[in-house]
Amino acid sequence: MSSPVSAETQMLLPTVETMVGVLYFGLFAISFDFISGYTGYLSFGHAVFYGTGAYTVILIANGKVPLLGPGTPFMLSLLVGGLIAIVLAILVGLVSFRLSGVYFAMITLGFAQVFYVFVRGWDYVATNPRDGPAVGPSHAEGFQIGVPGIDQLSLSIGVLTGDEVALLGATLSGTEVSYYMVGLVVLACYFAMQRVIHSPFGRVLLAIRENEERAIAVGYNTYLYKLGAFAISGFFAAVAGGLFAGFKRSASPENSFYFLVTGDALLASIIGGFGTLAGSLYGHLFDETVREFLSKAGQGGGLLPYLRALLGQGTLDTTLVGGTTIGGLIDLLLNGHASLYVGLVFVLFVLYVPDGLLGTLRARLGGTFAEALPAKLWGDSE
C-alpha cells in the first residue's frame, strides 16, 4: 500500500489470519458465556468440548472414526463433533450440576484435566499424542464450508488449502476466503444462541442466574434447564473447535483440551462483558488486537516494528544513561512482553469496567443496540 497511513494501519489492525482465529475462538468464548454468563455457573472445563470438536474433525479426515471416511463433508464433521460434545456435556453435567459456586467450577476443571491427560497419552489419535493429530495425506484438499455435495456453494478454508476467489476485480486469498466462510458459520451459531436466550428457555436461565431458589420455588426444574444449557453450549464449543482444526489442519492437547484455553475464553468474556454473548467475541478481538499491537518483529505488524522503522537505525543506536541505547530500551519494554500488558489491561477492566466493553455500552444506551439505537435516532429526529 502506498497510502501515507498504511504503516499506522498495519500497526493497529490485526492480520487477516489473526482475525480468522478471532472468529472461531470468539465462538468458543460465546459458548462459554452462554452457560457461565447466563446461568452464573463458571465452567472451567469448557475446553473439553472445544478439543472434542477439533479432534473429531481431524480423526474423521484421517479415517479413524468408524462409518465416517476421509471424504466426509466438513459440515457433517462439525455436526458429529457437536453431537459428541452434547453427550459429554450431559455426562459431565449430570455430576457437576449437583454442586454450585466454586465447587462446580473446580469439578469441571477436574474433568478438563482428566480429558487433557487422557488425550496426551492416547496413541490412537496420533503417533505422538503429546503433539496431537494433524490432517494426513488422505485429505490433502482444504475443508469446505457451504452446502455439502454442491461445489458451487462451498469454498475451502485454510492458509495454504483455502480457495482463491475473484470478486469485483479483486482476488481474495485463501486466508481471506477463510475469514468470510468461518465468519458465516460463527454468525449462524451466534444467531442460534441468541434465539435460545430470547426464548422461554433462556428466560429461565436468567432466572437461575438471578435467584435459583426462587426459580425452583415457582416450579422450574433448574437441574434439567442447566443441563440443557450446558449441552447447547458444549455443542457450539465443539463447532468452534472444529473450525479451528479445519483452518489450522492440526491440534494439540495444549491448544484445545488444556484448561488455560478456557481461561482465554474467561478473559474474553470479562473484557467483553458477561451475559452479552457478542461481548465475548469483542473481548477476544480486543485481546488479540492488543497482543498483535505489542507483538515482536516477525509476527505481523505492531508497535515494535513500527517504531524501529519510524525512528531509523541512527536514532535507535543513540546511547542513553548507563550505555543503554534507545533501541535497547524499546526492546526491553516491548519485545515479548505482550502478555504482561494484556494482564495489566485485564486488571484495569476488572477494576474500572466490571461490566465489560459491550456491557458498559449497553448500560449507557439503556439497553441493547438493536433496542436503544433506533429509539435514540428517532427520538433525536423528533
Side-chain angles (χ1 to χ4, degrees), residues 31 73 131 264 309 335:
S31 73
D131 293 334
D264 288 337
N335 201 349

Side-chain angles (χ1 to χ4, degrees), residues 365-377:
L365 288 173
T368 64
F369 286 99
E371 297 169 345
L373 282 182
K376 285 185 175 294
L377 292 176

Side-chain angles (χ1 to χ4, degrees), residues 93-95 97-98 212 220-228:
L94 285 172
V95 177
F97 281 115
R98 298 185 183 278
E212 185 170 358
Y220 291 113
N221 187 334
T222 59
Y223 181 78
L224 292 181
Y225 276 94
K226 291 183 293 187
L227 199 59

Side-chain angles (χ1 to χ4, degrees), residues 74-75 78 143-147 153-157 178 181-182 184-185 243:
F74 178 57
M75 302 300 287
L78 291 179
F143 293 98
Q144 289 191 331
I145 292 178
V147 180
L153 298 178
S154 301
L155 290 172
S156 297
I157 61 173
S178 300
M181 299 310 292
V182 170
L184 284 175
V185 177
L243 292 172

Side-chain angles (χ1 to χ4, degrees), residues 7 18 25 36 40 61 83 87 118 126 140 158 166 173 183 200 204 211 222 286 292 295-296 310 335 340:
T18 299
F25 194 87
S36 299
L83 294 176
V87 174
F118 174 73
S173 67
V204 177
N211 193 322
T222 59
F286 181 88
E292 190 154 304
S295 65
K296 52 189 176 183
L310 179 67
N335 201 349
L340 170 64

Side-chain angles (χ1 to χ4, degrees), residues 45-347:
H46 223 59
V48 169
F49 313 126
Y50 185 72
T52 296
Y55 271 54
T56 299
V57 164
I58 296 175
L59 292 179
I60 290 176
N62 291 340
K64 291 190 173 185
V65 176
L67 305 179
L68 297 172
T72 301
F74 178 57
M75 302 300 287
L76 179 58
S77 297
L78 291 179
L79 179 61
V80 171
L83 294 176
I84 294 174
I86 287 177
V87 174
L88 290 177
I90 292 175
L91 294 176
V92 172
L94 285 172
V95 177
S96 302
F97 281 115
R98 298 185 183 278
L99 304 171
S100 61
V102 68
Y103 302 105
F104 174 83
M106 289 299 100
I107 195 171
T108 54
L109 176 60
F111 275 115
Q113 286 302 97
V114 169
F115 279 94
Y116 169 71
V117 172
F118 174 73
V119 297
R120 287 190 78 204
W122 192 17
D123 294 335
Y124 182 75
V125 300
T127 305
N128 186 355
R130 289 178 178 268
D131 293 334
V135 178
S138 61
H139 199 291
E141 68 277 7
F143 293 98
Q144 289 191 331
I145 292 178
V147 180
I150 304 179
D151 292 339
Q152 293 82 355
L153 298 178
S154 301
L155 290 172
S156 297
I157 61 173
V159 177
L160 299 177
T161 58
D163 287 331
E164 293 186 353
V165 175
L167 183 66
L168 301 177
T171 300
L172 300 178
S173 67
T175 304
E176 291 168 333
V177 169
S178 300
Y179 170 77
Y180 290 109
M181 299 310 292
V182 170
L184 284 175
V185 177
V186 171
L187 189 63
C189 292
Y190 168 73
F191 282 138
M193 282 186 276
Q194 276 282 18
R195 183 67 190 90
V196 174
I197 289 298
H198 290 90
S199 70
F201 179 87
R203 298 303 179 191
V204 177
L205 299 184
L206 293 175
I208 292 172
R209 182 186 67 184
E210 299 303 324
N211 193 322
E212 185 170 358
E213 288 76 14
R214 183 174 296 175
I216 295 173
V218 298
Y220 291 113
N221 187 334
T222 59
Y223 181 78
L224 292 181
Y225 276 94
K226 291 183 293 187
L227 199 59
F230 202 45
I232 294 171
S233 67
F235 175 85
F236 289 110
V239 171
L243 292 172
F244 155 65
F247 180 70
K248 292 292 188 179
R249 300 179 66 82
S250 66
S252 71
E254 276 67 32
N255 63 20
S256 56
F257 280 94
Y258 197 40
F259 76 95
L260 288 181
V261 176
T262 305
D264 288 337
L266 174 63
L267 174 66
S269 297
I270 291 176
I271 292 177
F274 260 118
T276 60
L277 284 189
S280 300
L281 176 62
Y282 297 137
H284 188 60
L285 173 60
F286 181 88
D287 180 20
E288 287 298 314
T289 300
V290 172
R291 289 180 187 275
E292 190 154 304
F293 176 71
L294 297 172
S295 65
K296 52 189 176 183
Q299 294 183 349
L303 183 59
L304 182 59
Y306 174 75
L307 288 176
R308 287 172 175 167
L310 179 67
L311 296 177
Q313 194 60 43
T315 303
L316 294 175
D317 291 337
T318 302
T319 303
L320 300 175
V321 180
T324 303
T325 63
I326 292 179
L329 180 62
I330 292 174
D331 280 344
L332 177 65
L333 294 175
L334 298 178
N335 201 349
H337 298 312
S339 296
L340 170 64
Y341 294 111
V342 169
L344 293 175
V345 170
F346 175 70
V347 171

